[in-house]
Amino acid sequence: VIVSVLTITNTNTSNAINNFHFQAAVPKNMRIKLQNPSTSDLPVYNPILPPQAITQILIVSNPNKEPVRLNYKLSYYLSGEQINESGEIDNGFPSSIDLI
């Protein structure tokens, strides 16, 4: 079992992030569970205050101990425009992914 905590922060100094949504899928021989995110909106980044974050727990069951391959989709609104991102993570989870 792999347990990961996704942490999403906004480093944009002029625009908030709204309606953030993360989806993930793994091969059929594995199982995945996503807990509900802590929130779906992030305010504009303020360097004086501690950064606010969206946190979400991801649990992957891998009974055959095969390399983990995870496909993900995320969407959010930035400046009123919907942004959609997708990708694949092969054989391990990165410590960070920069989107903007």
Side-chain angles (χ1 to χ4, degrees):
V1 174
I2 299 168
V3 178
S4 293
V5 178
L6 306 172
T7 304
I8 299 92
T9 58
N10 183 8
T11 57
N12 191 304
T13 58
S14 56
N15 297 299
I17 292 176
N18 301 101
N19 299 326
F20 184 89
H21 184 71
F22 177 81
Q23 296 175 299
V26 292
K28 290 183 181 189
N29 59 341
M30 299 176 196
R31 297 272 183 230
I32 189 166
K33 182 175 182 181
L34 277 170
Q35 302 285 333
N36 290 329
S38 58
T39 186
S40 62
D41 299 324
L42 289 172
V44 172
Y45 176 74
N46 183 339
I48 298 171
L49 299 174
Q52 293 186 12
I54 298 171
T55 57
Q56 189 168 12
I57 297 174
L58 174 118
I59 303 166
V60 177
S61 173
N62 184 7
N64 299 331
K65 297 182 177 33
E66 296 179 8
V68 175
R69 192 177 80 242
L70 181 130
N71 292 312
Y72 67 90
K73 291 181 184 179
L74 55 91
S75 65
Y76 55 93
Y77 285 86
L78 184 68
S79 299
E81 180 182 343
Q82 184 172 12
I83 309 294
N84 295 300
E85 300 276 342
S86 62
E88 183 175 311
I89 298 171
D90 255 338
N91 200 17
F93 297 123
S95 61
S96 70
I97 299 173
D98 294 325
L99 301 173
I100 301 173

